[in-house]
């Protein structure tokens, strides 16, 4: 079996962490029981009350390869990954539903291992958390917690 | 003679109304015929990852019920002959001369 790329390793570790979000595991919601990666379906009323999506955004790369005495060099990249959630709202206190899923995402992702299993060049960083309040006529709330994963790889995509 | 092209709400009630009971907060229940307006099915929240759900709009006679504040409870079937359900007024959708259109969400026991 071929080795995973650095990007694949990062996403695999994040998927593993957020998949654990379930009431049975001590979290406030069951959002991790339905996780979408690489697709963004519009869920319907018959789908689970809570779900997550891992959204991989455009990588920002500083290409330091091909220069000087070490032509292989390295490419230093920042990969933004946002964990978005949609959950059924408590209609009396929708903020409780929003904050519950935000807390779950942070608890699941932000473990003591900020290198995601040793693949990151810099500790995993959290970006600007967003809360999506309940809109008129809706029973849904949401949230987005973005992370920045900084990693180094060689020309060709191998780990360095 | 009608003053404009709008269909009087009483005619809409006659043609499309379903029996309902409307109770404003701290008020007494009022029996009336309410009219469901064609729903849309937008995505919530307005983000990349979302859920589609019906945006339900109910029209209520202003002559019979002049005020329909948020939190008003409406008991009505979605179609004539269906089981009655409880709906909560969530927001004003549209105010006309003779009727109020409100966004409703299912009552607690329905969610």
């Amino acid at each position: 079996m071929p080795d995973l790329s650095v990007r694949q390793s990062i996403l695999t570790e994040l998927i593993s962490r957020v998949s654990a979000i379930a009431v049975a595991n001590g979290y406030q919601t069951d959002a991790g029981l339905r996780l979408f990666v690489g697709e963004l379906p519009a869920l319907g009323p018959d789908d689970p009350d809570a779900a997550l999506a891992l959204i991989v955004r455009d990588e920002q790369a500083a290409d330091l390869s091909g220069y000087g005495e070490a032509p292989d060099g390295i490419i230093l990249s920042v990969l933004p990954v946002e964990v978005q959630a949609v959950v059924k709202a408590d209609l009396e206190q929708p903020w409780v539903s929003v904050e519950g899923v935000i807390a779950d995402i942070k608890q699941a992702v932000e473990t003591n291992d900020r290198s995601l299993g040793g693949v990151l060049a810099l500790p995993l960083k959290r970006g600007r958390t967003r809360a999506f309040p309940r809109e008129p006529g809706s029973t849904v709330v949401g949230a987005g917690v973005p992370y920045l994963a900084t990693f180094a790889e060689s020309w060709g995509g191998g780990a360095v | 003679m009608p003053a404009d092209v709008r269909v009087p709400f009483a005619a809409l009630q006659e043609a499309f109304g379903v029996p309902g009971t409307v109770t404003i907060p701290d008020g007494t229940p009022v029996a009336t015929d309410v009219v469901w307006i064609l729903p849309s099915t937008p995505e919530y929240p307005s983000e990349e990852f979302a859920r589609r759900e019906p945006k339900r709009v109910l029209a209520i006679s202003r002559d019979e019920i002049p005020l329909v504040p948020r939190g008003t409870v409406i008991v009505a079937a979605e179609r004539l002959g269906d089981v009655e359900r409880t709906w909560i007024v969530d927001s004003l959708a549209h105010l006309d001369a003779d009727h109020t259109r409100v966004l409703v969400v299912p009552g607690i026991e329905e969610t």
Side-chain angles (χ1 to χ4, degrees):
Chain A
M1 185 174 173
D3 291 340
L4 295 180
S5 72
V6 181
R7 283 175 59 114
Q8 287 172 314
S9 299
I10 291 168
L11 296 177
T12 300
E13 179 62 22
L14 288 173
I15 289 167
S16 169
R17 293 186 184 188
V18 297
S19 295
I21 297 175
V23 173
N25 294 334
Y27 291 90
Q28 299 181 45
T29 71
D30 280 325
L33 298 182
R34 197 68 187 93
L35 172 65
F36 297 94
V37 185
E39 58 176 334
L40 287 171
L43 303 176
D46 301 332
D47 291 310
D49 283 352
L52 294 177
L54 215 63
I55 301 173
V56 182
R57 302 201 186 281
D58 293 353
E59 178 185 308
Q60 301 159 39
D63 189 344
L64 306 176
S65 65
Y67 297 104
E69 296 179 356
D72 287 343
I74 63 166
I75 300 170
L76 195 63
S77 300
V78 178
L79 183 66
V81 180
E82 183 169 7
V83 185
Q84 278 195 11
V86 292
V87 297
K88 201 88 166 175
D90 176 336
L91 297 182
E92 299 292 324
Q93 299 185 88
W95 70 273
V96 171
S97 309
V98 177
E99 294 302 327
V101 76
I102 289 174
D104 282 351
I105 293 169
K106 290 178 178 175
Q107 183 183 338
V109 173
E110 298 171 15
T111 68
N112 288 334
D113 174 16
R114 296 182 65 169
S115 71
L116 298 183
V119 297
L120 297 189
L122 294 174
L124 185 68
K125 300 284 188 189
R126 186 206 306 155
R128 186 168 58 99
T129 299
R130 300 184 298 156
F132 312 137
R134 191 172 75 81
E135 298 174 34
S138 165
T139 63
V140 172
V141 292
V145 184
Y147 290 95
L148 298 174
T150 304
F151 63 97
E153 60 185 353
S154 65
W155 182 254
V160 292
Chain B
M1 179 68 95
D4 53 43
V5 297
R6 287 174 294 184
V7 177
F9 187 67
L12 295 178
Q13 277 180 304
E14 179 73 23
F16 305 112
V18 295
T21 304
V22 178
T23 309
I24 68 171
D26 301 321
T28 54
V30 176
T32 182
D33 284 343
V34 296
V35 176
W36 288 101
I37 306 298
L38 190 65
S40 57
T41 314
E43 291 185 357
Y44 299 106
S46 309
E47 293 292 329
E48 296 151 290
F49 185 45
R51 180 188 296 270
R52 286 187 189 276
E53 61 178 2
K55 190 172 189 176
R56 294 183 172 93
V57 182
L58 258 178
I60 299 166
S61 167
R62 292 183 68 184
D63 292 334
E64 297 172 53
I65 301 156
L67 305 173
V68 190
R70 189 167 191 269
T72 294
V73 176
I74 300 168
V75 178
E78 276 201 275
R79 295 185 307 174
L80 265 180
D82 282 359
V83 175
E84 287 191 334
R85 297 173 63 183
T86 300
W87 309 93
I88 309 294
V89 173
D90 196 38
S91 183
L92 174 69
H94 175 84
L95 194 60
D96 210 328
D98 59 359
H99 70 278
T100 306
R101 296 184 186 186
V102 289
L103 290 172
V104 297
V105 292
I108 298 293
E109 71 275 22
E110 304 279 350
T111 56

